[in-house]
Amino acid sequence: MARHHCGETSRGNIPVARSADIRARLAGHDARRRLPGLTDGAADPARTGAKFAALAAHAHEFPVPPGFCVPADEFADAITVEQAGALRDAFGDLRATVGAFVTETTQRIARIAAEIRLPEPLRALVAVRLADEFTDPASRVFAVRSSGLDEDTQTSSLAGIHATVLGVRGVDGVLAAIEHCWRSYYAAPAVAARLRAGDVRWQPRLAVFVQEQIPAHLAGVAFTDRDEVVVEYVTGLADQMVAGAEVPSRVTLGTAAGSPPDPRLAEVAALARRLRRRCTGDIDVEWAIDGSGLHLIQVRPRTDRPAATHDDAPALDVYRLYVEDPPPNVPLGEVARVYASQVAKRGPVYRLAAECDVPTGRGWLLRFNGLGLHAPATVAALRAALAEGGADRCVLDLADTMRQIVVAKSEVIPRLIELTGVTGRGTRMYSAVVRDFVSGEIGLITRLAGDGLLVEYTDEGLMALNRGTAGAATIVVGDLRQPIEQPGNLVAPADPAASRLVPHLTRLASFTRRMVDRYGDTTLEWVYADGQPYLVDFSVLGGDPVTVVPDSAVVSAGTARGPLLTVDDDEVLRRLSIGPAISLRHSVDLSDHDGLEKIVAAVAASPRPPIVRVRRPYAVLSVLIGSVAGFVFERGSILGHLPILLREAGVPAVTYAGPGLVDGDEVVISDGTVAFGVTRAVVDA
C-alpha cells in the first residue's frame, strides 16, 4: 500500500524531497570517499601529497583547521585524451631538448593547461564535500592550497612552486581556486623548477586541499634543532614570508627559562616540541594565531637536503666565468654541476687562448634574488657587466636539465624572473651561468690531419655545423710545414666565406697545434665575427681516424650493404639535434620521443639493418648506431658530432645527392661510392 506524506509531491513511490535527501546522502558518501578530509583517518600521500597527509596524521591531536583534499588522481582524470597527448608531446620535446626551447615549450604547455577544467561530477562532489565538512560554507573564508606529490619529501622540496589561493568564498570561488592550483602545476616557474630537478614527467602529480582560512593576528614558521626552536613570525598571514617576499622577525627559544617578545610565541615553541616528539625527529612547522588561539597549518620533517639560502637585501652578484671564482662557501644549487663542468673544461683553454691572443666569448656566474632582479642599481650593474662581452645574445644555463637557452641580453632579467618565479620582494637566492652567444657570420671547426689542417665551415652557424643540421664546405691545407698559399697546398672553395677565413688560417692552425700538443687529437669550434675567429669550444677525440682528402665523399670509411631506408623527418631531427641533450660524449636516451620513436621503429621493422638515407648528418641519429648498416647523406661534414661517432663505431657513411636511390632496394656503400641495382655510381663530391 502506498504511503503519502503530508506536504510532499510524489514521483512514483518515492517523494521528491526524500529522493533528493537520499541522493544528497549518497553523494556525500561518495564525496568523502573520493575527497578525503583531514579527520577521516590516515591519508595516502601518493594521492594527497605529503603536505596534506602530514596534517591528517596530526589533525586529531593538534589544532588543525578543518578541510578536505582533491587528490592528484582527480586531476589526472580531468585531463582529456587530447590534452594528455598534447602534454606528452610537449614534455617529450622539453626532455629531448634539455630546455633549449624552454620558453617556447612552457608557453605551449600553459596554453594546454588553460583548457583543463573540473568535470561536472567532480564539481558536484566538491560542493557536497563543502556542505558536509563546514557548517554554512557560504559564510566561511577558505584557503585553497596545492599539495604536490613530490613536495616535502626526503629527497625533494619544490617548496612554493605551486599556487595557494587565499580569501576564497563560495562554491564557485573554491572551484575556480582548485583550477588555478591545477594550472599552476603547468606554469613556467613550476615546470622550470621540476626541470632543474631533473623531473620531466608530463602526468600531473598535484593534489589540492581546501581549508578554512585562519584570520591570523600572528603567523609564521618554526623549526626545531633538538631542544631549541627557532620561530620566525610576521603580523597577519605568513604566506608572503614563506614565499620569501617578506622579512620576518626571529627568536630562538630553548628549554631554559626566558621570556619571548610575545608570550604567544612560547605556545608555538611548545607545539613544535610536541610535534618533534611525535615525529621522532626535527620538524618544520607553519602556524597561525587568531582570536581563538594557535593553529597548525603545515608540518614536515627537516631533512638533509640543502636548504634554500636567503638574503634580505637586493642581491645580484656577478663573477667572471673562467677567470674569477666565487667565494668557496657560496652554494650554487642546481647550476653547480654546470658551472663546475664549464670551468673545469674551458677555464684552462680560455686562459691559453688569452696567452696566444686568440679571442673568446665572455661568461659570467650570477647569484641573485628577486629583490636584486627588481632593484635599479643591481639591474644596471648586471647590464653593464653583460655589455662587456660585446655579443647581443647570450646562453643561459640554470641546471643540468635546463641549458643553452639563447636569449637577447636585454631579455636576461625578464627570463630569469620567468623561470625562477621570483617577485620583487623575494629573498631566496638562485644561481645561473650566462655565456656570450657569439653567433657570428660563419661557424667553423678545425682539426689537424697528419701534417695538414682541415677546416669545415657554414654560414648557418656553429651549432648547425656541429649538430649536423647544415651542410659544410671544406678548406684543406695539405702541409702546414710549407707556406699555406704555396700552389697545390691550399684547396678552398671560391666563395665569400672561404675568402674571409683564408687570411686567418695561420692563427687557426697555430692554436689548433697548441691544443693538440696539450690534449692530443682535438677538434676546435669557432665563430667568425667582427673580422676575426673567436674560439668557442673544443672536443678531445679518441679512435677517430681522419685523412685530409680534398673533395672526398667519405664521411666514415668502410663498406656496408642493406635495404635503403629514407628518413625525411627533418624538423624533428633538427630540433632534437640542436638540444644540448646531444653532445659528443654525452647522449641521453631519446627513444621515447614520439618523433624519434617512429624513426627507431622504422629501422627496427627493416628485414636487415638498413642503409639510412637522410639529408644531413643530424647529431641525434647517433641513437641508431648499432641498428643500421650505414648512412648516405645528401650533404654533410666529417668534423661534426655524428661523423666522429660513426668513425669511432666503424659505421660506414658517404655523401651522395644523385638520383636512382629507391627505398627497399639493395644498396652498397664503400669508401665514397654508392652502388644500387645494376648501376654503380661513383660519387662526385
Side-chain angles (χ1 to χ4, degrees):
M1 181 175 65
R3 296 183 179 179
H4 297 276
H5 297 261
C6 182
E8 296 177 344
T9 302
S10 296
R11 179 180 296 154
N13 291 329
I14 301 177
V16 170
R18 188 178 176 197
S19 175
D21 178 65
I22 291 171
R23 288 198 308 274
R25 285 191 287 111
L26 289 175
H29 175 75
D30 190 42
R32 185 173 291 278
R33 179 178 61 82
R34 287 177 55 181
L35 310 181
L38 283 167
T39 56
D40 289 347
D44 180 3
R47 295 186 71 225
T48 66
K51 187 184 298 184
F52 182 87
L55 277 181
H58 300 296
H60 287 286
E61 185 177 346
F62 295 88
V64 176
F68 65 90
C69 181
V70 180
D73 49 276
E74 298 287 348
F75 187 2
D77 290 344
I79 297 176
T80 67
V81 173
E82 293 77 12
Q83 290 165 344
L87 287 169
R88 185 184 300 108
D89 288 347
F91 276 88
D93 188 72
L94 197 63
R95 174 178 178 268
T97 60
V98 195
F101 303 96
V102 66
T103 298
E104 173 189 330
T105 309
T106 53
Q107 290 173 352
R108 174 180 161 197
I109 291 168
R111 288 193 297 269
I112 299 167
E115 301 301 319
I116 299 173
R117 296 285 184 271
L118 274 80
E120 286 303 322
L122 181 56
R123 296 174 71 89
L125 284 176
V126 171
V128 168
R129 197 70 176 90
L130 280 167
D132 187 41
E133 185 74 28
F134 302 99
T135 303
D136 190 17
S139 66
R140 305 291 185 100
V141 179
F142 299 103
V144 180
R145 303 180 187 276
S146 300
S147 180
L149 304 192
D150 301 303
E151 292 182 63
D152 297 343
T153 66
Q154 292 293 323
T155 58
S156 177
S157 169
L158 297 177
I161 68 169
H162 304 126
T164 290
V165 186
L166 303 178
V168 179
R169 296 179 181 273
V171 174
D172 288 342
V174 169
L175 295 173
I178 293 171
E179 289 184 341
H180 179 76
C181 291
W182 280 3
R183 287 193 294 272
S184 76
Y185 185 81
Y186 291 114
V191 172
R194 295 196 299 276
L195 187 60
R196 293 197 304 272
D199 182 0
V200 287
R201 290 171 290 188
W202 70 268
Q203 296 90 340
R205 295 178 55 78
L206 183 78
V208 178
F209 64 100
V210 180
Q211 274 185 294
E212 184 173 12
Q213 182 173 313
I214 302 302
H217 305 156
L218 198 68
V221 298
F223 53 91
T224 64
D225 186 0
R226 297 190 177 184
D227 293 331
E228 287 190 338
V229 181
V230 179
V231 183
E232 295 181 341
Y233 60 97
V234 294
T235 56
L237 298 173
D239 288 76
Q240 290 297 308
M241 183 199 81
V242 173
E246 185 173 351
V247 179
S249 300
R250 172 182 288 200
V251 61
T252 300
L253 301 175
T255 55
S259 299
D262 187 314
R264 293 174 295 183
L265 299 180
E267 298 179 47
V268 174
L271 173 70
R273 291 192 183 98
R274 286 178 59 202
L275 282 164
R276 184 186 185 280
R277 289 193 295 271
R278 173 78 178 269
C279 297
T280 66
D282 284 319
I283 46 92
D284 181 342
V285 172
E286 290 184 33
W287 54 271
I289 295 175
D290 66 359
S292 65
L294 174 64
H295 303 269
L296 174 63
I297 307 300
Q298 288 186 43
V299 58
R300 50 188 165 261
R302 291 185 65 189
T303 68
D304 293 332
R305 62 177 178 260
T309 57
H310 293 261
D311 193 324
D312 297 340
L316 217 173
D317 301 323
V318 182
Y319 305 94
R320 286 189 60 192
L321 205 60
Y322 315 123
V323 297
E324 182 181 8
D325 296 326
N329 60 340
V330 171
L332 300 185
E334 292 103 335
V335 85
R337 288 181 58 183
V338 176
Y339 169 80
S341 64
Q342 288 286 339
V343 172
K345 180 185 179 185
R346 295 189 181 182
V349 173
Y350 274 37
R351 288 191 287 272
L352 177 63
E355 294 173 12
C356 298
D357 197 28
V358 171
T360 59
R362 295 285 184 90
W364 303 267
L365 170 67
L366 308 184
R367 287 278 295 160
F368 59 90
N369 60 13
L371 289 164
L373 289 184
H374 290 82
T378 49
V379 166
L382 173 60
R383 287 176 174 160
L386 296 181
E388 295 176 1
D392 294 329
R393 293 188 293 170
C394 58
V395 179
L396 298 182
D397 294 327
L398 298 175
D400 274 351
T401 48
M402 188 179 292
R403 297 178 50 205
Q404 295 189 11
I405 306 167
V406 179
V407 300
K409 283 188 175 176
S410 60
E411 290 295 309
V412 168
I413 291 174
R415 194 66 68 244
L416 290 175
I417 291 172
E418 175 192 19
L419 296 177
T420 59
V422 297
T423 69
R425 302 172 68 185
T427 61
R428 180 180 174 179
M429 297 296 295
Y430 294 85
S431 301
V433 170
V434 183
R435 293 173 287 134
D436 267 344
F437 184 74
V438 186
S439 55
E441 307 148 49
I442 307 168
L444 59 147
I445 300 175
T446 63
R447 180 177 179 180
L448 296 184
D451 295 321
L453 176 71
L454 179 63
V455 181
E456 286 192 339
Y457 65 91
T458 178
D459 58 7
E460 295 184 45
L462 175 60
M463 184 178 291
L465 176 61
N466 192 39
R467 303 298 170 85
T469 63
T474 304
I475 298 172
V476 177
V477 179
D479 190 343
L480 290 172
R481 296 169 299 180
Q482 306 297 325
I484 286 178
E485 297 191 17
Q486 177 177 302
N489 196 30
L490 174 65
V491 179
D495 61 43
S499 66
R500 279 182 264 181
L501 296 178
V502 165
H504 301 280
L505 290 177
T506 299
R507 172 185 281 185
L508 294 172
S510 175
F511 193 71
T512 304
R513 171 62 67 188
R514 287 289 300 271
M515 288 291 292
V516 169
D517 290 342
R518 176 173 290 193
Y519 294 104
D521 199 8
T522 308
T523 61
L524 274 62
E525 299 171 15
W526 312 73
V527 294
Y528 179 87
D530 303 323
Q532 60 184 336
Y534 283 75
L535 177 68
V536 175
D537 203 354
F538 72 101
S539 295
V540 177
L541 307 175
D544 174 31
V546 62
T547 303
V548 175
V549 180
D551 299 330
S552 173
V554 179
V555 175
S556 178
T559 299
R561 63 179 294 174
L564 186 74
L565 173 65
T566 298
V567 173
D568 54 10
D569 300 83
D570 291 283
E571 179 53 32
V572 169
L573 296 173
R574 183 198 68 82
R575 189 176 182 87
L576 295 183
S577 295
I578 289 175
I582 300 295
S583 64
L584 186 58
R585 296 299 171 215
H586 175 251
S587 298
V588 301
D589 179 14
L590 304 178
S591 58
D592 61 350
H593 184 278
D594 284 351
L596 192 58
E597 192 174 47
K598 295 175 183 176
I599 298 172
V600 173
V603 169
S606 177
R608 300 194 318 281
I611 302 291
V612 172
R613 177 175 63 173
V614 64
R615 290 183 66 248
R616 299 282 186 265
Y618 297 108
V620 73
L621 290 173
S622 61
V623 301
L624 299 182
I625 293 175
S627 302
V628 300
F631 286 92
V632 175
F633 306 117
E634 290 184 14
R635 187 182 177 194
S637 76
I638 66 172
L639 296 186
H641 172 95
L642 181 62
I644 290 172
L645 294 181
L646 293 179
R647 290 192 294 273
E648 291 183 352
V651 179
V654 302
T655 58
Y656 174 69
L661 295 178
V662 178
D663 271 13
D665 282 359
E666 192 78 1
V667 173
V668 177
I669 61 175
S670 180
D671 292 341
T673 64
V674 179
F676 46 92
V678 297
T679 305
R680 183 173 176 82
V682 179
V683 179
D684 295 324

